[in-house]
Amino acid sequence: SCRVFRNSSLMEEPFLVNTSYERFLRKCSLKQSYAEDVFDFDGAANQVLGLLDPDTRDEPDAVLDRAEQMLAPYGVFTTTPRRDQPSHKFLSMEIAGLRSFALLMPAIFLGVAAVVLNVLLSRLAEQQRTVVGTLKALGYTDRQIFGHFLKFGGVVGLLGGLVGCIGGYLAADAMTAIYRQFYEFPELVNRVYPSVIFGGLGISLFCAVLGSLRGARAVLRLRPAEAMRPKPPRSGRKILLERMGWFWRRLTSDWRMVLRSTMRNRTRTATGVFAGAMGACLLSSTFMMILALSYLVTFQFRSITRSDIDLTLGHERGEEVLLEAARLPGVDRAEPQLNVPGTFSNGHREKKGAITGLAPQARLTIPRNLEKEPIRIPSDGLAMTRQLAEALGLERGQWVTFQPTKGLRQPVRVPVLEISDSYLGMAVYTDIRFLSRLVGEELAINRIQLSTDRDPAHLAALYHDLKQLPLLEGVDCRTDMVRNLEETLIQNTYASLVPMIIFAGILFFGAILNSSLISLAERQRELATLRVLGYGPWKLGSLLLRESMITTLLGAILGMPLGYGLTMAVARMYASDLFRFPVVSNATVWIATAALAVVYGLSAHLFVQAAVHRMDWLEALQTKE
């Protein structure tokens, strides 16, 4: 234990104190004086928390060094600034991820919206060419007509921005509720920020106007005399596929019409492909991130850590404690570990960490690299993760200085004999007897891993005996940890999966519906002619369905590699000292992405099919070309 101290020159407020059995107190929230009476630790403490004044808050190292010197007579286990606390790192990483998400998602949606609005305004300009020509003949200037079409895009952007702000507030409220379940913030309330609202409206309006420019510019090229006449039909030149005779002759007339329409309307097809690619990119990236989280849990608790129960000792013990643990009810195997925290240094580079000592031929903890191959644990050196080695500027065979916070606490020089990649933390391994000698012991043990027969009766007896052991500081059950992780993972999975599927669905649905309805409007006379020739509404709808499916599937195929690249970028962005995301995929990811793309395409086509049934084909036949 260490004595609590107060020093106004170091702190803005007195140090806050957590008494012994910190984990128990944090869970039960006992009053300090009551806990001291219960555990007979009157006036004792084992942790000191400090709040620095504003002048030293950004550079706490000097204050921590001074505090460590002042508390040296009482034994300082470690000093940790806020930037190195796992909770701070995890939360900072989460906030950085939200910031990237807030940039990426709107960029994708606004980009697709601008492209779709471009197609819509181009179609509107063509549809109203006669009106535009008449207005020009009556004296309206190009600037007036151009501004009129831009206003249309501006109204769309403004209304869409208002709807988006309302939806964004509701989404933020739901996300805040999720965060309240996992984080214990003093206050976490969703509020309306006018700057965010006006900023969102401004960006929406800007992108809408930008997407309207090309369609609005089309009216400027129209001369009054030319515009007052209907647009002549486009040239029916052969498409590329028609020049492939061996392929074209094998197609039915329906497929020939579909392919001609798809390839001759290049802008509309490219818009559908782009929207499909963005939707597939989001879907595949989301599926891969979820797969990565599941892979991390399996990798850690199935391949590396294989024990059933881990015992943490209050102080280092000798080999007799291992023999005692092996005799506990239901224990099949007991393996010792020694965890020594300290500071690694190489020249001017320093990094806090710990060395884990493992028994030779250990089977309950098997460090592995990214290929799941076991890492060789040196008997007279260190096996270090590449993340830590790069932070210290080390290569294999070089020496590192380690300042332990246990045992003799003397700096020692140790060779780094193995460097390998890993997903979790910045682990360092060595032989347990070698590590014991580094801290001045023959064999020191402060953690024991147990493998049990998992018989319920034996487990009950085991837990009963563990409660009677005063030397234990903590008992961790792997089954409980895995279950809690998986439950949390499932909640996070649904919290991220459902919105992403909805967002991707909006991209697919909106783009396909817009493209198909425009195609239907442009080809009413053609479809009405086919109706007279005997094509039924479902047959006509199947032609439009084939066109939309071609663009949808082509977009999905192009979007899957983009999703893989996005996942790699997110993995690099989230890479930290705590963990690194694996980029893993399987056939399920790609099949699910393609299947959802088809489902969204079919859903959008239902509205198009309804429009085909409502079409007045007699009136369409009377329309002048």
Side-chain angles (χ1 to χ4, degrees):
S1 299
C2 61
R3 184 173 298 174
V4 183
F5 72 96
R6 179 194 303 252
N7 190 325
S8 59
S9 66
L10 292 179
M11 320 210 167
E12 182 179 295
E13 296 178 8
F15 273 133
L16 306 176
V17 179
N18 284 357
T19 57
S20 298
Y21 293 89
E22 177 204 354
R23 184 181 306 171
F24 177 78
L25 294 181
R26 185 169 63 248
K27 291 181 178 180
C28 298
S29 302
L30 295 179
K31 188 178 179 181
Q32 178 180 336
S33 58
Y34 176 74
E36 290 176 353
D37 293 338
V38 170
F39 299 114
D40 194 22
F41 279 108
D42 186 23
N46 66 357
Q47 189 177 40
V48 178
L49 306 178
L51 178 65
L52 302 180
D53 61 37
D55 296 334
T56 58
R57 191 166 296 168
D58 294 334
E59 297 181 357
D61 295 333
V63 178
L64 290 177
D65 291 341
R66 184 178 175 187
E68 190 169 352
Q69 294 174 3
M70 296 173 63
L71 292 175
Y74 308 101
V76 178
F77 182 70
T78 184
T79 56
T80 307
R82 184 178 62 179
R83 65 172 181 268
D84 293 336
Q85 294 175 6
S87 59
H88 177 77
K89 288 185 177 181
F90 189 85
L91 185 58
S92 299
M93 183 179 61
E94 186 70 18
I95 293 174
L98 288 176
R99 185 179 294 111
S100 301
F101 180 84
L103 292 174
L104 176 65
M105 290 299 296
I108 292 177
F109 269 84
L110 291 172
V112 173
V115 172
V116 170
L117 194 58
N118 167 52
V119 175
L120 180 62
L121 262 294
S122 299
R123 164 62 186 165
L124 190 63
E126 292 294 339
Q127 188 180 28
Q128 298 184 359
R129 58 181 283 125
T130 304
V131 176
V132 171
T134 303
L135 291 175
K136 285 189 174 184
L138 293 176
Y140 282 85
T141 64
D142 287 345
R143 178 179 296 180
Q144 289 175 310
I145 297 175
F146 181 73
H148 171 75
F149 277 87
L150 283 186
K151 289 176 185 177
F152 180 88
V155 170
V156 171
L158 186 61
L159 293 178
L162 289 173
V163 174
C165 288
I166 297 173
Y169 178 82
L170 297 177
D173 197 59
M175 183 173 292
T176 303
I178 294 174
Y179 273 78
R180 281 197 294 264
Q181 297 178 9
F182 295 99
Y183 298 98
E184 296 181 1
F185 291 111
E187 183 183 15
L188 187 61
V189 181
N190 187 32
R191 294 187 177 92
V192 175
Y193 296 93
S195 60
V196 175
I197 298 297
F198 288 114
L201 289 175
I203 293 174
S204 174
L205 187 60
F206 172 78
C207 291
V209 172
L210 186 65
S212 306
L213 284 177
R214 183 176 179 273
R217 284 183 57 193
V219 301
L220 301 181
R221 295 192 295 267
L222 294 176
R223 297 179 179 179
E226 177 187 354
M228 293 175 66
R229 296 193 302 268
K231 183 180 179 180
R234 286 182 296 182
S235 173
R237 292 177 296 178
K238 288 185 177 181
I239 63 175
L240 178 62
L241 295 178
E242 289 187 71
R243 297 185 175 92
M244 303 168 61
W246 58 271
F247 172 75
W248 193 255
R249 286 191 297 269
R250 289 173 170 78
L251 297 177
T252 63
S253 58
D254 291 350
W255 273 109
R256 292 177 182 179
M257 286 189 290
V258 169
L259 293 175
R260 284 195 185 105
S261 176
T262 301
M263 298 190 70
R264 285 173 179 172
N265 295 281
R266 292 187 294 272
T267 302
R268 189 168 64 235
T269 300
T271 300
V273 171
F274 175 70
M278 293 298 100
C281 174
L282 289 180
L283 283 177
S284 57
S285 178
T286 302
F287 291 144
M288 288 180 67
M289 293 298 293
I290 293 171
L291 189 63
L293 291 174
S294 178
Y295 180 85
L296 274 178
V297 175
T298 302
F299 183 79
Q300 179 65 27
F301 292 100
R302 298 289 188 272
S303 300
I304 297 179
T305 304
R306 310 170 77 178
S307 59
D308 295 317
I309 296 176
D310 293 342
L311 308 178
T312 302
L313 309 182
H315 300 282
E316 286 73 21
R317 301 282 178 158
E319 192 171 6
E320 69 281 354
V321 72
L322 181 64
L323 299 176
E324 183 177 353
R327 291 194 294 265
L328 291 171
V331 174
D332 289 339
R333 183 180 178 84
E335 290 184 0
Q337 283 189 359
L338 175 61
N339 187 271
V340 180
T343 302
F344 297 93
S345 60
N346 180 35
H348 66 281
R349 301 186 182 186
E350 288 188 354
K351 200 75 174 177
K352 289 185 179 294
I355 301 178
T356 301
L358 301 177
Q361 306 302 321
R363 291 188 296 179
L364 300 184
T365 291
I366 305 177
R368 298 178 184 273
N369 57 23
L370 301 187
E371 289 74 31
K372 291 188 176 182
E373 299 172 348
I375 300 172
R376 184 182 71 88
I377 306 301
S379 59
D380 54 356
L382 303 180
M384 183 178 292
T385 58
R386 192 173 305 279
Q387 185 86 0
L388 180 57
E390 291 179 351
L392 295 172
L394 292 171
E395 295 181 0
R396 182 180 298 177
Q398 294 184 334
W399 292 66
V400 65
T401 301
F402 180 65
Q403 174 73 56
T405 58
K406 289 187 176 183
L408 297 178
R409 302 191 182 186
Q410 298 295 326
V412 292
R413 296 271 293 170
V414 192
V416 179
L417 302 181
E418 291 289 335
I419 295 178
S420 63
D421 295 300
S422 69
Y423 292 122
L424 298 175
M426 295 193 297
V428 180
Y429 297 98
T430 189
D431 182 83
I432 188 171
R433 292 189 180 273
F434 175 73
L435 182 58
S436 298
R437 291 194 295 272
L438 292 181
V439 296
E441 301 286 347
E442 179 61 29
L443 177 62
I445 301 172
N446 60 10
R447 189 174 178 86
I448 301 176
Q449 293 186 293
L450 304 179
S451 175
T452 65
D453 58 12
R454 303 183 184 181
D455 182 88
H458 292 166
L459 287 178
L462 173 61
Y463 285 128
H464 177 271
D465 289 356
L466 291 177
K467 293 178 181 179
Q468 313 305 317
L469 298 178
L471 54 86
L472 291 183
E473 184 182 78
V475 178
D476 297 317
C477 178
R478 185 175 69 103
T479 304
D480 294 337
M481 286 191 294
V482 173
R483 183 176 64 250
N484 293 334
L485 273 174
E486 289 178 345
E487 289 177 356
T488 304
L489 183 62
I490 290 173
Q491 293 183 23
N492 284 330
T493 296
Y494 284 119
S496 60
L497 178 61
V498 174
M500 282 298 188
I501 291 178
I502 293 175
F503 292 156
I506 293 173
L507 291 178
F508 275 111
F509 188 88
I512 293 172
L513 182 62
N514 178 75
S515 177
S516 298
L517 289 179
I518 290 178
S519 177
L520 177 62
E522 290 179 345
R523 300 167 61 189
Q524 280 196 4
R525 185 179 180 85
E526 174 190 340
L527 295 177
T529 303
L530 293 175
R531 184 77 172 84
V532 173
L533 294 176
Y535 280 69
W538 291 103
K539 185 72 171 178
L540 295 177
S542 70
L543 299 178
L544 297 175
L545 175 61
R546 295 180 205 182
E547 292 182 17
S548 64
M549 283 294 103
I550 289 175
T551 57
T552 298
L553 292 178
L554 183 58
I557 293 173
L558 295 177
M560 290 177 189
L562 295 178
Y564 191 90
L566 177 62
T567 305
M568 293 183 65
V570 171
R572 284 195 296 268
M573 179 185 66
Y574 272 94
S576 67
D577 295 346
L578 295 178
F579 63 90
R580 275 75 62 189
F581 265 114
V583 180
V584 292
S585 65
N586 54 30
T588 305
V589 172
W590 315 119
I591 293 174
T593 301
L596 282 175
V598 172
V599 169
Y600 291 137
L602 292 176
S603 301
H605 181 71
L606 293 177
F607 293 85
V608 179
Q609 187 66 51
V612 172
H613 278 80
R614 293 194 304 267
M615 186 180 69
D616 189 342
W617 55 275
L618 291 177
E619 181 181 352
L621 284 174
Q622 297 171 1
T623 302
K624 294 182 180 181
E625 288 288 356

